[in-house]
Amino acid sequence: VVFDATRRTILTHRQESPIEALATLGPERTAFACRGDADNTGGVGCIGQDGGLLWFTELLGQPIELAISASGGVVALLATDTTAGRLVFLSEDGLPVWDIDYDEARPTGLSLSPDGTQVAVTLRDGTLALYELQLSSRLSLLSNEIALSEARRTVESGNLGAALKLLRERLEDAPGD
């Protein structure tokens, strides 16, 4: 449930599993992490301003913390199992783009800079690790794959003109592609 300044409900969303972590940009986009039904599973999802599910991605590990960049372009999940932990970065479409495994070190905290380029993780042994994210080439590659997949679906539905338009727009956005 998200409220406005007068405590009026702006949106509501319900998951079958308990939500363990939450990060919001307000009513436009809210990311959440929940435990799965099986041991050592969980998932990350994102809801839009109407409260509808935009995407959901199942991942290994139980969620600890979740963060979202100010643009909504990067979602970071900190998860753990019985002895180790994992930091997973997801694109704005919910696709995992990068992860870091913490063997034998349980992560305890997460912070993501508003622009999504810096992330800090704390570990149970007292370590604080700060990372500079350089996901742009990976996200650009994913963007290419998504655009190509969407263009193929459009061609299969019989609309070649729309497919060409999609590909031209992608080339305008990223001329090096």
Side-chain angles (χ1 to χ4, degrees):
V1 177
V2 177
F3 300 101
D4 67 6
T6 62
R7 296 186 182 170
R8 184 188 66 191
T9 302
I10 296 174
L11 67 88
T12 319
H13 177 81
R14 181 163 172 75
Q15 279 298 114
E16 292 180 19
S17 301
I19 293 176
E20 301 287 330
L22 188 66
T24 187
L25 298 177
E28 297 82 30
R29 185 172 283 239
T30 299
F32 64 90
C34 56
R35 292 180 183 266
D37 294 333
D39 288 341
N40 202 32
T41 63
V44 179
C46 197
I47 57 175
Q49 59 190 19
D50 63 352
L53 188 64
L54 298 173
W55 53 263
F56 187 82
T57 303
E58 290 184 17
L59 297 168
L60 290 177
Q62 298 292 329
I64 298 174
E65 272 198 63
L66 186 70
I68 188 169
S69 65
S71 69
V74 177
V75 176
L77 170 72
L78 196 58
T80 188
D81 60 21
T82 54
T83 60
R86 187 171 173 218
L87 175 61
V88 182
F89 299 99
L90 299 105
S91 71
E92 64 187 331
D93 299 317
L95 299 171
V97 293
W98 205 259
D99 64 65
I100 300 170
D101 287 321
Y102 297 101
D103 298 325
E104 306 291 321
R106 288 181 65 97
T108 58
L110 167 72
S111 181
L112 181 67
S113 65
D115 66 0
T117 62
Q118 307 277 324
V119 65
V121 174
T122 56
L123 304 176
R124 186 172 57 186
D125 67 2
T127 301
L128 182 144
L130 179 64
Y131 302 99
E132 181 176 13
L133 306 178
Q134 297 180 354
L135 300 176
S136 60
S137 61
R138 178 71 179 130
L139 290 173
S140 175
L141 179 62
L142 280 173
S143 230
N144 290 344
E145 292 170 9
I146 291 167
L148 186 57
S149 174
E150 191 173 333
R152 284 185 179 138
R153 280 194 307 272
T154 306
V155 167
E156 289 168 1
S157 71
N159 195 342
L160 182 59
L164 286 171
K165 182 180 176 195
L166 273 170
L167 293 173
R168 282 188 185 120
E169 287 172 357
R170 177 64 190 139
L171 284 173
E172 288 173 13
D173 290 343
D177 296 341

